Amino acid sequence: MNENIFLFSSPLSLSLSLSLHNSSYLLSLYFLSLFLSLSPPVFSSPFLSPSFSRHSFSLSLSLSHSLSGVCGCCGALRPRYKRLVDNIFPEDPEDGLVKANMEKLTFYALSAPEKLDRIGAYLSERLSRDVARHRYGYVCIAMEALDQLLMACHCQSINLFVESFLKMVRKLLESDKPNLQILGTNSFVKFANIEEDTPSYHRSYDFFVSRFSEMCHSGYEDPDIRTKIRMAGIRGLQGVVRKTVNDELQANIWDPQHMDKIVPSLLFNLQTADSRSPSPLQVSSEKEKESPVELTERCFRELLGRAAYTHIKNAVTPVLMHLDNHSLWEGKTFAVRCFKIIMYSIQSQHSHLVMQQLLGHLDANSRSSAPVRAGIVEVLLEAAAIAASGSVGPTVLEVFNTLLRHLRLSVDNELSGAYELTEEGSKVIQEHEERQLQEAVIRTIGSFANTLPTYQRSEVMLFIMGKIPIPGVHPILPNGSGPEGNRMIQVMLLKSLRQVTSGFQTTNMLTALPSAFLEPLLCVSLLETPELRLLVLQILVSLIDRHHNTHHFSCISIISDTSVLKLKLDKCSRQDNLFMKKHAQHLYRHIYLCCEEASSAHTHFHTLYTLLALLSIELANEEVLIDLIRLALALQDLAVSGEECLPVFNRCAIHALCAAYLNLISQLTTVPSFCQHVHEVIEVRQKEAAHLLPEDVFIDDPRLPASLEHTQECVLFAQSKIVEALGGSGYNAEKLATPYVPLNIDEDRLSKRKSVGETISLQVEVESRNSPEKEERTPAEEITFQTLKSAIVDSEGMEEAERARRRQVVEKFQKAPFEEIAAHCGARATMLQSKLNQIFEITIRPPPSPSGSLPASSTSSYAQAPPPRSVPVYEMKFPDLCVY
Amino acid sequence: MSTEDYDYLFKIVLIGNAGVGKTCLVRRFTQGLFPPGQGATIGVDFMIKTVEIKGEKVKLQIWDTAGQERFRSITQSYYRSANALILTYDITCEDSFRCLPEWLREIEQYANNQVVTILVGNKIDLADKREVVRQRAEEFAEAQSMLYLETSAKESDNVEKLFLDLACELIREAKQNTLDNSDNSPMPGEGKSISYLSCCSLN
């Protein structure tokens, strides 16, 4: 116990500084005998008094020269480092560290680094004792000294010292006094900031991780102290991370056993401070120093920033767990905030790992309530936006598959009205919650798609398309959720598709809209539901709009001068022409039929207008332009003649659509006489028939006449005048003079009929059509050259034989997946091509006829039932894809 | 004479449903007080106490976990390094007893397999409200090969005994392990002794 006796040796006197803590046995015989020969020993009375136990006092002893040997003996008995250490402690702990002596100690430590371990051990010994005796002043001094030594030491030698240093910190952390805990933490943080370059084997930070995590959760009564302890805990964790993250010899801080402590502790602080609204007092104090939340966030970011590829999982899993346990998905804001921090902090090449984990978590939560799933999806959405190109990673379709699966799951849930039996029986589902979830999923799909390069986006579009249940093309929902379920799935998937396509940029329409995508899409558009049709229109619009012109045409109106719009135009490229050759008729037909639907509403016409406008801006060459004008005129005829099937509103709307569109296209052609005619008609309408103009039709409460019986010729656009005007400017007047008649195409029929279940009439329809165009368009029906030839020669005789065959084919077409059919006929494509060429060479062809129906005047066998748009198609070399 | 010294260091983790009196047990043992109106523990709490058993100093690091479900993920992370688990239930609360199998599953999943588990029925001072009869708990404990003890943190019944018994058991196991290893190297938890009465330090 007597090591507190301080010795100051000088040549002549030995000054004994005694700290009399346990003075009762200070006067041991040993002590007396040692100084027996000294003269005169001055023992004053306070020396014996326990009341002075906290104070030190000096004994001045005169020493004769002859006693120098004893001095030497004393020196030997009490090593120099101990003396130096003892000297740094003042008599009164209030005085603080004895600076001069501290310098001596530091100098000694630096000049004799091999003694560092002993200095450390001795200091820690003293400190432990001081802690046990509640002499906190000395504890602080000891820590200060330690810190200074630590800072002064060289990297190489620090290892020797660290063990005792950590022991001391541990000691302080074990105490239940907040001040000591904080003191220990501060020292630890200082230590953590020292970069060591030598490896160390014998350290274990387990306790520190556990303890600091515990401190982060401090429940101390006094809120101020609680905050301090928690902040200390956070800083401590930060320190541990810094210390261990790059040291391969240390226990891997990324192991779940550590991460499961560190991450929830940080999140807990991030979250609790979140929920507490800062009082004015706090605000003022926050200006001076960092708030716990900021500190936590910084620490969390630092942690994540250091995470390598293999660590991400361990770091993110506890986050998911925490959000689960504290039910923080529903609230969204915190979860989103967490993941924003994560996404911004981790190295960007790891982003997709986080995404995968989130998706996995979504899967794991498929039985959870809709708000929870919606929360996760919301987080995905935000995270995807941040991660940008890094968000999807190598498994693109997997990501979309998961999202689509959840979309479908949600629809199923909404329809069934209950989850599968949970613990408390079946829960009633809040329909609007499922709706919100669906919206969130759809937006997330869009967000993911936005990060993809064009070619992958096309893939994704096809993938989603493949999931849409289209009667006859893709299998209907297996789970028997009925037509309602089908319809909802269709709507949801089309909405997803719309999200994916919005902002889609492509230079090549052929790749953007391959037949495999376009055809099913247009099939869908012919289903009964107006909502579906609208979605298809919107998807087409966003795909075709490559120069962001949509907003100019989002509303039908008569634009008196299109030059003010400053449209961005590019010359129609070769691929665009090819695309239009292939698909234009599909599109026209689709537009026509869309107008024909009585259930079309305002938005439909707006979007139709947009689509027409974009077609004529983006993809129009001369031929297309003429076709479009024909289409517009055909629409006008529809409006005039369709009184028995269309309500007045639709007819007016179609008139208005034609007016607006012809107005636009006339200005695009810049043929003065055409413009003039259109202008005249519009002027007449303004005076006499305002209900035929968009400005009057597409308002909330349009004033429409009861019937359109008295519509006069002068308010209609006259085909003859347009033909005349355009023919004069070198356009193909002959073709223009041919009225557009939309012809049904097999695929469309298929879907249309099947959707209403009229498969029998479909077969009849198929059988009655016997043109080469048919074989060519649907080679999936396995029509060989032989059948083709005999069909040309004697179509009547073949009919019986073909009937059975076609039935089979149709059946196959219904049942087999699209891909199978496609693959099957892919091989035949080349053969078919050559044979077709043969036929065409043999047969005397009429001059290239405009696509569309010709007057049935030709003598050739296929001109009798002239296939629309077939002739231009014949002329081109078929790429393999075209055949199906 | 220093408290720094210990022969053994054991980590003990208390688990059990919320409100069964885990924190009170720890407080009673480490500080000798019964905090009335003790709030729910947040996350984890930490206490330390050194006891002397048969002349050997045993330092007990006691991690007192929150019973609330929402802190489950952080509390689980503390099981792993525990030498002993005190599984606590409230004898006046049938529910807390019924949850025990669930807790055992968690132990199975997260704790290391050498962990010593002791089942504790707390609040025996509320004998008139008892819902779980002693025999039932004993049978359960036996079936799971756990030790069983009934305590009252309020009356300080069996609290000391609980921790001291546990410490004894842990020492016994630790010694067994050292023997098994037939290795003379010091135990990981063993501290080195420092003699303060050597003549050198007396000067």
Side-chain angles (χ1 to χ4, degrees), chain A residues 1-3 5 7 30 34 77-78 125 128-129 132 167 171 173-174 176 207 209-211 213-214 217-219 230 257 260-261 264-265 268 321 325-326, chain B residues 1-4 11 27 31 42-46 48 59 61 63 69-74 76-78 80-81 110 192 194 196-197 199-203:
Chain A
M1 273 303 146
N2 292 349
E3 67 277 11
I5 301 167
L7 287 178
Y30 179 92
L34 181 64
L77 284 168
R78 189 145 193 83
E125 192 185 310
S128 308
R129 204 171 47 234
K167 199 160 143 195
K171 189 83 205 168
L173 290 178
E174 279 173 0
D176 55 357
F207 173 76
V209 173
S210 302
R211 178 61 168 149
S213 300
E214 188 270 327
H217 287 90
S218 168
R230 287 186 180 179
Q257 54 166 321
D260 289 352
K261 287 175 186 147
S265 308
F268 175 73
M321 295 278 287
N325 285 339
H326 290 251
Chain B
M1 280 292 291
S2 166
T3 50
E4 177 59 32
K11 290 176 200 164
R27 285 285 176 95
Q31 301 170 336
I42 305 167
V44 201
D45 209 353
F46 171 75
I48 203 144
K59 186 146 121 181
Q61 236 181 45
W63 299 95
E69 186 77 36
R70 65 195 179 109
F71 290 112
R72 207 47 61 81
S73 66
I74 179 136
Q76 280 160 357
S77 66
Y78 280 83
R80 197 189 306 261
S81 55
Y110 297 104
K192 62 171 189 267
I194 298 167
Y196 284 95
L197 288 171
C199 67
C200 290
S201 52
L202 270 172
N203 274 293

Side-chain angles (χ1 to χ4, degrees), chain A residues 275-349:
Chain A
S275 56
R276 213 190 304 139
S277 61
S279 67
L281 265 175
Q282 273 175 314
V283 172
S284 64
S285 66
E286 267 167 22
K287 277 175 193 162
E288 292 145 34
K289 58 178 186 201
E290 213 173 19
S291 73
V293 195
E294 288 163 26
L295 179 68
T296 313
E297 192 176 323
R298 211 155 46 86
C299 180
F300 193 36
R301 282 178 189 281
E302 188 181 326
L303 175 75
L304 291 162
R306 290 167 187 266
Y309 185 83
T310 44
H311 304 144
I312 298 282
K313 186 165 175 286
N314 287 347
V316 175
T317 312
V319 178
L320 299 173
M321 295 278 287
H322 183 89
L323 295 174
D324 279 350
N325 285 339
H326 290 251
S327 0
L328 290 166
W329 293 112
E330 286 99 325
K332 287 178 195 166
T333 39
F334 183 72
V336 168
R337 184 159 166 233
C338 278
F339 275 89
K340 273 189 175 166
I341 294 176
I342 293 176
M343 297 312 287
Y344 278 124
S345 307
I346 57 169
Q347 294 156 43
S348 56
Q349 70 269 27

